[in-house]
Amino acid sequence: MTPALLASTLLLFVTLSYASLCAASPFGNCRKCRGFGHATKTDRKGRMKRGKDCRRCKATGKRIRVGRHLYNVAARLHRDGTR
C-alpha cells in the first residue's frame, strides 16, 4: 500500500467518523466551563463553590460541534436556494 493511498484512506476514515459523531451527538461540552455551565471557585477553606454562569454557553454547559454547524449552514443555504 502506497503512503498516499494510506493517508487518503485514513483521512476518509477520520472524516466519516467525525460526521457520524456529529449526526449522533450534535452538541458537545463547552470548552470554557467543561460542561458545568458555570465557573468553579474555591472559598478560603478550600471547598468548591459555584461561580458565575458561563457566558459562552449561556449556562447550558453545551455547545454545537463545528461539523454540525457547517452542516446546518449548508442545509440552510440549500433550502434557501431551492425555494
Side-chain angles (χ1 to χ4, degrees):
M1 195 175 245
T2 64
L5 182 62
L6 183 64
S8 63
T9 305
L10 183 63
L11 183 65
L12 181 66
F13 176 73
V14 169
T15 303
L16 291 177
S17 298
Y18 185 68
S20 64
L21 176 69
C22 289
S25 175
F27 296 99
N29 288 337
C30 176
R31 290 188 210 107
K32 186 173 183 182
C33 64
R34 289 184 236 109
F36 288 116
H38 55 83
T40 54
K41 293 182 177 180
T42 56
D43 60 2
R44 291 188 294 178
K45 293 181 181 179
R47 291 184 295 216
M48 296 301 286
K49 180 181 169 186
R50 181 186 166 102
K52 292 183 179 180
D53 287 343
C54 180
R55 295 186 324 184
R56 182 180 286 179
C57 64
K58 298 180 181 74
T60 61
K62 296 293 180 186
R63 64 169 177 85
I64 193 160
R65 294 185 194 274
V66 174
R68 186 60 184 210
H69 177 72
L70 291 175
Y71 173 76
N72 289 347
V73 168
R76 189 177 309 122
L77 182 67
H78 176 72
R79 186 174 53 246
D80 291 344
T82 56
R83 262 195 249 186

